[in-house]
Amino acid sequence: MAKIDDSVKKKVPELRFKGFTNDWEERKLGELSNIVGGGTPSTSNPEYWDGDIDWYAPAEIGEQSYVSKSKKTITELGLKKSSARILPVGTVLFTSRAGIGNTAILAKEATTNQGFQSIVPDQNKLDSYFIFSRTNELKRYGEVTGAGSTFVEVSGKQMSKMSIMVPELSEQQKIGNFFKELDNTIALHQRKLDLLKEQKKGYLQKMFPKNGAKVPELRFAGFADDWEERKLGDITKISTGKLDANAMVENGKYDFYTSGIKKYRIDVAAFEGPSITIAGNGATVGYMHLADNKFNAYQRTYVLQEFLVDRSFIFSEIGNKLPKKIKQEARTGNIPYIVMDMLTELKLSIPQNNSEQQKIGSFFKQLDDTIALHQRKLDLLKEQKKGFLQKMFV
């Protein structure tokens, strides 16, 4: 791919595949495609429903690039007796009402309800994945154009008038394929991450005793003793930070833990690891970090130190028990938050054998590290995609 000189940026993208030099042209979306609405057959007539024709509703769109099976189907008669239209493979479904701008490409011909203004590309002028990759632009246009009425909606006529810069078809196809491969890679990493999180959930259920049981369902070989119940406040010292959330400084010497997932930096330390920090309020209430070295914390962040039980084990067991406790007891108001007694009184199941604690703690730490690694890879891919979207279109 070649970088383009700034002076000609307006007619060509900053980043371009080799071999393409022509200016991009400004066209109306309606010149490159047909915009097709949908319809709903009468729900009181069973002859119109449960046929062989896929029929999509907006709630089904947004998670996947391609769709090939709808939740509901209609019959040939239902199609004839409604304003639903058969849309060919390669159509970009576009939701046109509240929740404007969710998109997916049809992998199999289908119909939609009236909550769509779908883009049926002219195959000689517009590549499906090229226009699908511009979902953010389509969405922005739809939201701005559809605003103003009580019921936010964008019409087919309005969508047809959208101005869009496009290159020749062969360049569109090259760009479309590039983003298709990138999206497939992102989807693959997302599936791996989801699978790892599911596996962790399963292990948490099986490797800790359930409701009053003395031993877990799944256990490392060589351990047979009953586990005991202890309160968190009896096995660790719990305190809070003293600082405002905005006390962070750029390029500070120490980690600074707030109630978010992200770690910040600060120049003054008040704690020293090994510790566990727990977010005490906000959207990520209960989120935990293993804190090592010197660090500082926000006043709503709880800091656990001086452990009588293996730290990694406690980290996993709190992760197992605390979310349920928060659901039951979190003081909501506007912002959910934890109070000290929720933590000090939190009952944990603990193996009496230190070696068993360490084995379980180490097992979950490795699993968490693997999950964090996949999350970082996924975030990086999404950032890269964002960068390419900015540089590969005009």
Side-chain angles (χ1 to χ4, degrees):
M1 266 190 257
K3 270 201 149 191
I4 308 297
D5 182 274
D6 277 2
S7 61
V8 290
K9 252 190 207 173
K10 283 184 180 141
K11 293 279 182 76
V12 297
E14 190 182 331
L15 205 57
R16 202 169 189 187
F17 286 103
K18 279 186 180 157
F20 297 104
T21 52
N22 292 344
D23 283 354
W24 287 31
E25 291 180 7
E26 187 173 346
R27 304 290 294 274
K28 296 276 187 274
L29 189 56
E31 296 167 8
L32 308 168
S33 63
N34 284 325
I35 310 296
V36 183
T40 302
S42 167
T43 49
S44 59
N45 191 333
E47 289 185 2
Y48 298 164
W49 295 92
D50 300 321
D52 298 326
I53 302 166
D54 282 321
W55 180 84
Y56 288 94
E60 297 172 67
I61 308 304
E63 289 300 309
Q64 295 166 305
S65 301
Y66 283 92
V67 288
S68 56
K69 186 78 197 87
S70 60
K71 286 180 183 165
K72 290 184 178 178
T73 56
I74 59 174
T75 60
E76 286 287 349
L77 189 60
L79 178 67
K80 276 184 195 145
K81 298 288 184 180
S82 73
S83 53
R85 294 285 169 268
I86 291 278
L87 300 165
V89 170
T91 296
V92 178
L93 301 183
F94 179 88
T95 60
S96 57
R97 294 182 173 179
I100 283 180
N102 289 331
T103 56
I105 302 172
L106 280 185
K108 175 175 169 249
E109 66 174 32
T111 61
T112 72
N113 73 9
Q114 57 278 20
F116 292 83
Q117 293 298 340
S118 295
I119 302 161
V120 182
D122 178 329
Q123 292 187 342
N124 298 313
K125 295 178 184 173
L126 187 65
D127 177 72
S128 294
Y129 219 96
F130 174 84
I131 192 66
F132 172 74
S133 296
R134 303 182 81 160
T135 292
N136 289 342
E137 287 172 65
L138 294 166
K139 185 181 175 68
R140 258 198 314 275
Y141 176 85
E143 283 171 345
V144 171
T145 314
S149 53
T150 328
F151 186 62
V152 181
E153 180 170 12
V154 61
S155 69
K157 210 173 196 176
Q158 288 168 320
M159 287 306 294
S160 292
K161 289 178 184 168
M162 178 181 172
S163 287
I164 187 164
M165 296 292 286
V166 291
E168 60 194 75
L169 187 63
S170 57
E171 187 172 2
Q172 288 181 37
Q173 287 164 340
K174 201 128 190 181
I175 294 167
N177 283 335
F178 174 82
F179 280 102
K180 185 178 178 179
E181 282 179 26
L182 190 52
D183 285 341
N184 287 345
T185 308
I186 287 170
L188 181 68
H189 276 76
Q190 186 67 61
R191 280 197 299 275
K192 279 184 186 170
L193 184 64
D194 293 343
L195 186 62
L196 280 165
K197 285 179 176 175
E198 276 306 305
Q199 283 176 334
K200 182 183 173 183
K201 211 183 279 180
Y203 283 128
L204 282 170
Q205 284 169 359
K206 292 184 175 181
M207 290 177 72
F208 292 91
K210 284 194 182 107
N211 313 327
K214 297 282 187 193
V215 292
E217 191 182 324
L218 199 61
R219 205 167 186 184
F220 286 104
F223 301 106
D225 293 345
D226 283 353
W227 288 28
E228 56 184 357
E229 193 171 75
R230 305 277 296 274
K231 286 180 181 175
L232 182 59
D234 294 338
I235 56 172
T236 182
K237 177 186 154 200
I238 307 173
S239 59
T240 62
K242 300 281 184 283
L243 300 175
D244 285 341
N246 57 5
M248 75 279 286
V249 296
E250 245 182 272
N251 306 317
K253 279 162 69 175
Y254 308 108
D255 284 332
F256 177 51
Y257 295 93
T258 65
S259 275
I261 291 171
K262 189 179 170 188
K263 277 191 290 190
Y264 295 93
R265 303 294 285 176
I266 200 160
D267 276 333
V268 183
F271 301 94
E272 188 161 5
S275 307
I276 293 171
T277 67
I278 302 176
N281 68 353
T284 51
V285 64
Y287 189 87
M288 297 190 295
H289 285 279
L290 287 170
D292 294 300
N293 309 314
K294 290 183 174 181
F295 66 94
N296 216 326
Y298 161 56
Q299 60 199 6
R300 292 268 187 193
T301 298
Y302 291 90
V303 179
L304 281 53
Q305 294 176 300
E306 299 174 21
F307 305 99
L308 300 179
V309 169
D310 181 76
R311 178 179 67 145
S312 291
F313 174 85
I314 290 185
F315 187 84
S316 301
E317 174 63 325
I318 295 172
N320 193 27
K321 295 275 171 67
L322 187 59
K324 295 168 200 162
K325 181 109 168 163
I326 289 171
K327 254 188 191 159
Q328 290 161 2
E329 293 186 38
R331 318 323 205 235
T332 40
N334 289 334
I335 301 171
Y337 65 95
I338 295 170
V339 292
M340 183 65 86
D341 68 5
M342 268 180 76
L343 294 179
T344 53
E345 298 297 310
L346 184 68
K347 289 174 182 170
L348 306 179
S349 298
I350 295 168
Q352 296 176 55
N353 188 312
N354 281 351
S355 173
E356 186 172 11
Q357 293 172 21
Q358 285 162 0
K359 274 202 149 160
I360 295 167
S362 162
F363 174 82
F364 279 103
K365 181 157 189 332
Q366 278 183 313
L367 194 50
D368 284 338
D369 288 347
T370 308
I371 288 170
L373 180 69
H374 277 77
Q375 185 68 62
R376 280 198 300 276
K377 279 185 184 170
L378 184 63
D379 292 343
L380 184 64
L381 280 166
K382 286 179 177 176
E383 275 306 304
Q384 286 175 332
K385 182 183 173 182
K386 211 184 280 179
F388 285 129
L389 284 171
Q390 284 169 354
K391 291 180 177 180
M392 290 177 69
F393 293 102
V394 179

